[in-house]
Amino acid sequence: MLQILLFVFYIWGIYLRFAEAEIKLVDAEKCLVWGAGIKPDVSVLPARYFFIMAIDKNGQRYLESAPLNFQVKIKGNSPHGRCRSHVDVIDRGDGTNIVRYTTADWCDQVEIEIRYNGTQVAQSPYYVRNKVYSEKCYCPQDLQLFMLHNNCPNAAADKQIMWDLHSFKRVNFSAIRENLMKRYNQPESVSLCHYVVKQQQIWRQCYGKYTGFKMFMDSTLLALSRVALLPDMEFYLNLGDWPLSKKGGQQRTSGPYPIFSWCGSEDSYDITLPTYDLTESSVENMGRVALDMLSVQRNEHPWELKEDKAFWRGRDSRRERLDLIDLSRKYPELINASITNFFFFRDEEQKYGPTVPYVSFMEFFKYKYQLNIDGTVASYRFPYLLAGDSLVFKQDSPYYEHFYSKLQPYKHYVPFKRNLSDLIEKVQWAREHEKKVREIIHNAREFVEANLLPQHIYCYHLALFKEWSNRLVAPVVVMPGMEKVQTSYTCFCKEPQIKDEL
């Protein structure tokens, strides 16, 4: 009798599981698909991408991964036969997927086919009217048209751009160039490059002892020039960590001088660009970089399996990072932190070491809480932490990246004091308020989707450069001694109309 009852309960359990699965079945036609990657003929990026949201039979969105994977194919014709493409589907673990793909050279009669369990999803297949060119092709659109196709806001809509440029309403490099170089041509302590963009050609002259980082701006300008007609312009780029155009001091009588930097600060006039790291991850998306703002959203560590601790790894580039080691030793149940390399405080390695091996960035997200502490300047890992499925604690800081002004504390991240004095309290708060924590994580991901994906990085550069060029009052001239940055294309949608002599 007991065996019969157990068998009945077993069968009933199976029935309930199937009944629940029936309710939660994905309805392919009701799923949502959106994003510029559906129109790859007008939105040209290194990797096109779009989003899929799983919807069940009752019209409700999934809040976890769909039971099966979405299947995506790029069909079409190319110079080599069938269109050559590479597709990557990123499951974000919240019912949404990012689909990114690349094509080689150009493809014609393109169809984007999305299926779930054999059934076409939403309006699939999506037919693309015009030829689709690889981002490696030379196909620059009119600048305003590119911005329109990619929903790029104008500079006036971005408060960081307008704030950075408010001291530079009219810039005459003919009048200030000599004094600017006297001020910043300090080879032992300052490295910078003077860039000129004229008729789609890029020229530069660099100064200083360490100019290797010019490769990042070279690749940025080349990538932008392949997809949009750049305005004629010139600017000086700081290749170092610290902002250069400091407020006060000599600036009162001889400045401020316009310097583009990858990091801004409260005590400088530097004009902030997206960091070289974030920009390279956009330009090389699905290329040579291992980490980017799309791949970091892959759900490898479900929330329920994450450790209930704050996590940090990094080098010893700021005293507070050593203070964090002290905290982690005092509160090991709350913080897991270690130094991976000693450089700035080598004489204290015995106290704060030993060093630990490098940890893959995706492994950070085995932990529910991530700590963002400044390095020499702002910590450039912050965008990637916001994109991951963990709560970010951010140290108060005078340094900022181009997007910080759009963030709100306790909406997108949890702040803590610069001296770490309230960090333990904040971590304890998070452990006791999981609902609020999950809400902040959700908001952070929405912020990333609206501000920090490759499309937005291209848009920010172009909006800033467009506005900057309008403020230059002297003719843009290629200066003696400048070196031309060599271009490379895999194909052309039209022959470049570029003069050899400028």
Side-chain angles (χ1 to χ4, degrees), residues 460-473:
Y460 194 94
H461 280 96
L462 292 173
L464 174 58
F465 289 154
K466 182 173 182 288
E467 180 65 25
W468 177 247
S469 69
N470 292 334
R471 298 178 183 231
L472 303 181
V473 297

Side-chain angles (χ1 to χ4, degrees), residues 1-38:
M1 185 66 179
L2 179 59
Q3 290 180 329
I4 295 175
L5 287 174
L6 289 174
F7 179 75
V8 169
F9 283 131
Y10 174 73
I11 297 299
W12 179 248
I14 293 176
Y15 170 78
L16 289 177
R17 284 196 294 274
F18 272 106
E20 182 180 3
E22 177 67 26
I23 294 172
K24 292 291 289 181
L25 281 177
V26 170
D27 189 323
E29 293 184 358
K30 290 180 181 177
C31 291
L32 303 179
V33 176
W34 73 98
I38 294 297

Side-chain angles (χ1 to χ4, degrees), residues 375-386:
T376 52
V377 287
S379 176
Y380 293 170
R381 71 180 65 177
F382 190 34
Y384 306 105
L385 293 178
L386 289 171

Side-chain angles (χ1 to χ4, degrees), residues 128-154:
V128 182
R129 181 176 302 176
N130 304 307
K131 280 185 179 180
V132 175
Y133 288 90
S134 161
E135 178 270 343
K136 298 298 183 184
C137 296
Y138 184 82
C139 282
Q141 303 176 35
D142 173 80
L143 176 57
Q144 195 60 39
L145 193 61
F146 180 92
M147 294 180 70
L148 179 66
H149 286 156
N150 288 278
N151 298 314
C152 299
N154 289 319

Side-chain angles (χ1 to χ4, degrees), residues 469-494:
S469 69
N470 292 334
R471 298 178 183 231
L472 303 181
V473 297
V476 176
V477 178
V478 177
M479 303 297 294
M482 282 192 153
E483 178 185 3
K484 185 179 179 182
V485 178
Q486 296 301 315
T487 57
S488 62
Y489 313 118
T490 60
C491 64
F492 302 88
C493 63
K494 55 184 177 182

Side-chain angles (χ1 to χ4, degrees), residues 12 52 106 172 199 241 274 380 397:
W12 179 248
I52 305 173
W106 58 262
N172 185 343
Q199 297 177 2
D241 288 330
Y380 293 170
S397 172

Side-chain angles (χ1 to χ4, degrees), residues 171-178 180 194 233-236 258 260 468 472-475:
V171 178
N172 185 343
F173 275 115
S174 295
I176 68 171
R177 191 180 294 119
E178 183 178 348
L180 186 151
H194 179 201
M233 61 178 173
E234 67 176 302
F235 60 88
Y236 286 82
F260 283 59
W468 177 247
L472 303 181
V473 297

